[in-house]
Amino acid sequence: VKTVNVIGAGLAGSEAAWQLAEAGVPVNLFEMRPVKTTPAHHTADFAELVCSNSLRGNGLTNAVGVLKEEMRRLNSVVIASADETAVPAGGALAVDRDNFSALITKKVKEHPLVTVIAEEVTEIPEGITIIATGPLTSEPLAKEIASFNGSHGFYFYDAAAPIIDSSTIDREKVYLKSRYDKGEAAYLNCPMTEEEFMRFYNALIEAEVAPQKEFEKEKFFEGCMPIEVLAKRGVKTMLFGPMKPVGLEDPKTGKRPYAVIQLRQDNAAASMYNIVGFQTHLKWGEQKRVFQMIPGLEKAEFLRYGVMHRNSFMNSPELLRPTYQSKQREDLFFAGQMTGVEGYVESAGSGLVAGLNAARLAKDEELIEFPRETAIGSMAYYITHAEGKHFQPMNANFGLFPSLPERIRDKKLRYETLAERALNSLAEMNK
Ligand code: FAD
């Protein structure tokens, strides 16, 4: 069997390498960290989560929950490791980020068919190869990819939320609760009166942002928009977004606060909390000043400040097949965020498809396209069939699934039916 090169041991690359090795195909896995790092990574571990520690919804009434379930059934190392290192997060699957990455690193590195090579790859290698170098692909390789693809590369910028030392949160002022008391109480909530909110809002929109590099045009991804940019859209915008108070009545008063900021547990020991939805590009000193105005965070110590980065992706509808193969070169695959799937789980999911298919190519077997009815297949279909001109990265969502033959008005029932169809379709395919 031929050896396959996988470049990048992030969410997609780790999953791809695992799938290859589990299929009996030897892998050379290239990862540049710790020799060289990216502006968002902090460790040398595989599959590091660069921003939130949440892998989002875990139930089957949620498309990303369906995606996870499909991946579980396909022996995903990323989802298995997330399940093993989960922390309480209501209906979501959130993880202890250090344990999660350490576990994936161990499983992948210790696999007898995986050889890890700690170096930066600067050219696209010969032979069967999966490129999974992420939205922060190092410059030399990014240039190679851009020239290989012609003028189809894009880029945009997004941001990471600050993390706080939990022992510095004033527990008298905050309360533990999940929205609508769904699942285990998982979030610390910082309630605000209207007056406190207005003071905070004004400070936030006037705070100084970090100087920008030679950004051409700012293009934010909606789901990870800096809080100050969101705030500038209008006084009420945050109240319908990350500061939404519904379902978060303060147990002390029984009343719904005017606004609420949620803190989410970031590690198993609960020694770190992140401010949910508060990714930011403010200067660090300004982050401290403004975020300490949040009730309960007056003395907060920031373990990590929010940051903002380049985030590159390619014009996949022009360039890729649903197997994640390059249209121009059959033995070259791309996977992860750079293909225009958006999110940790989606990135890992595309790595899974690329890994399975590269393994088949190495064994001279026929490649597989996942049915569109599956969450995995719906993502592959989206990135290869979206309109190329306005192509934007996309999270898994039920809107990408083909519609049902009958119309089901009840949303929950509709989602459950779509989920059931997806899992049946996957089972059918694996027969
Ligand atoms: P990565 O996980 O970044 O993996 C790429 C790997 O390739 C890295 O380990 C890198 O070191 C390595 N590499 C790069 N260049 C080379 C080279 N030349 N040679 C060898 N190795 C190389 N998604 C969410 O779901 N939730 C979030 O909160 C979230 N926040 C984000 C915040 C930021 C700042 C960014 C940039 C993205 C965020 N995303 C988020 C989007 C996306 O889910 C993550 O970027 C995810 O890590 C993508 O997985 P990946 O495997 O494609 O890339």
Side-chain angles (χ1 to χ4, degrees):
V1 186
K2 294 173 196 131
T3 298
V4 173
N5 303 308
V6 176
I7 312 177
L11 273 305
S14 301
E15 186 65 58
W18 177 258
Q19 293 292 335
L20 279 154
E22 288 281 284
V25 175
V27 182
N28 284 333
L29 176 58
F30 296 84
E31 170 54 55
M32 68 176 186
R33 289 176 297 120
V35 180
K36 184 170 175 180
T37 192
T38 82
H41 287 83
H42 294 265
T43 74
D45 278 347
F46 297 172
E48 181 180 332
L49 302 177
V50 289
C51 177
S52 165
N53 65 321
S54 171
L55 275 65
R56 316 204 315 282
N58 207 16
L60 292 182
T61 48
N62 193 312
V64 76
V66 180
L67 176 57
K68 286 188 189 78
E69 186 53 33
E70 292 174 3
M71 292 172 68
R72 256 181 214 111
R73 295 181 186 194
L74 293 165
N75 179 31
S76 159
V77 70
V78 168
I79 302 301
S81 305
D83 286 336
E84 283 177 61
T85 58
V87 298
L93 176 58
V95 300
D96 176 305
R97 66 175 76 234
D98 293 333
N99 292 345
F100 169 76
S101 299
L103 186 58
I104 294 177
T105 310
K106 182 168 158 28
K107 287 184 188 176
V108 173
K109 260 193 185 160
E110 288 180 0
H111 200 293
L113 289 179
V114 177
T115 307
V116 176
I117 302 161
E119 67 179 42
E120 178 189 12
V121 173
T122 54
E123 282 172 16
I124 302 175
E126 303 272 304
I128 307 176
T129 298
I130 300 176
I131 300 182
T133 43
L136 304 166
T137 296
S138 77
E139 209 57 49
L141 186 61
K143 282 199 182 128
E144 282 286 303
I145 296 170
S147 87
F148 174 79
N149 283 338
S151 54
H152 293 295
F154 291 143
Y155 69 90
F156 70 116
Y157 295 87
D158 68 7
I163 294 179
I164 287 161
D165 177 344
S166 108
S167 66
T168 63
I169 300 169
D170 183 346
R171 302 291 171 134
E172 295 291 307
K173 296 199 175 152
V174 303
Y175 54 94
L176 189 67
K177 190 179 173 82
S178 288
R179 205 178 292 281
Y180 303 117
D181 293 319
K182 227 174 162 182
E184 223 175 308
Y187 295 82
L188 290 179
N189 298 281
C190 312
M192 279 189 188
T193 61
E194 185 171 358
E195 200 191 331
E196 283 167 336
F197 172 79
M198 285 313 301
R199 226 180 304 137
F200 176 72
Y201 170 79
N202 286 320
L204 182 59
I205 57 167
E206 279 159 23
E208 208 180 329
V209 295
Q212 312 220 323
K213 301 204 183 102
E214 63 299 341
F215 297 171
E216 287 165 20
K217 220 185 330 165
E218 273 190 18
K219 254 176 148 183
F220 297 115
F221 155 55
E222 289 283 328
C224 211
M225 177 176 293
I227 190 70
E228 64 278 7
V229 174
L230 192 72
K232 282 176 193 162
R233 290 188 165 182
V235 185
K236 298 258 164 171
T237 314
M238 287 194 296
L239 295 173
F240 292 102
M243 295 187 69
K244 189 165 66 178
V246 292
L248 290 175
E249 287 67 26
D250 185 341
K252 268 184 251 152
T253 60
K255 290 204 180 113
R256 182 194 291 179
Y258 185 77
V260 176
I261 289 173
Q262 292 201 293
L263 308 178
R264 179 169 51 219
Q265 188 176 326
D266 203 87
N267 61 346
S271 61
M272 304 195 280
Y273 276 81
N274 58 62
I275 315 183
V276 179
F278 270 58
Q279 48 279 351
T280 177
H281 192 42
L282 295 185
K283 281 188 161 178
W284 290 5
E286 291 287 85
Q287 290 186 35
K288 187 168 189 298
R289 181 178 68 81
V290 177
F291 298 153
Q292 281 185 341
M293 292 171 75
I294 299 171
L297 301 191
E298 293 84 352
K299 299 210 169 93
E301 268 178 37
F302 290 80
L303 297 175
R304 191 187 296 171
Y305 285 104
V307 283
M308 227 181 99
H309 294 291
R310 178 170 63 90
N311 191 346
S312 318
F313 61 98
M314 50 200 243
N315 194 358
S316 296
E318 309 280 342
L319 301 165
L320 295 185
R321 308 176 206 191
T323 48
Y324 289 87
Q325 263 168 310
S326 157
K327 283 185 182 168
Q328 306 177 50
R329 192 183 130 180
E330 187 181 54
D331 64 353
L332 181 63
F333 295 77
F334 289 90
Q337 180 93 5
M338 66 195 309
T339 65
V341 296
E342 169 65 48
Y344 299 145
V345 181
E346 290 84 345
S347 293
S350 71
L352 187 148
V353 180
L356 281 178
N357 275 317
R360 285 176 167 258
L361 193 63
K363 296 195 286 188
D364 288 323
E365 292 170 4
E366 208 180 311
L367 303 207
I368 37 171
E369 277 184 31
F370 280 78
R372 267 191 79 192
E373 288 73 22
T374 60
I376 291 178
S378 73
M379 295 298 307
Y381 186 86
Y382 170 73
I383 64 137
T384 49
H385 290 80
E387 204 227 311
K389 218 168 163 191
H390 304 289
F391 181 58
Q392 278 292 324
M394 182 81 88
N395 282 130
N397 67 79
F398 283 123
L400 299 180
F401 287 52
S403 48
L404 290 162
E406 73 284 16
R407 186 168 154 72
I408 303 177
R409 282 182 190 280
D410 181 72
K411 206 154 114 186
K412 186 160 173 274
L413 187 63
R414 186 165 71 244
Y415 290 166
E416 280 166 359
T417 311
L418 285 167
E420 195 185 316
R421 184 181 68 175
L423 297 176
N424 286 341
S425 167
L426 185 72
E428 218 26 64
M429 173 187 174
N430 280 335
K431 263 189 193 157

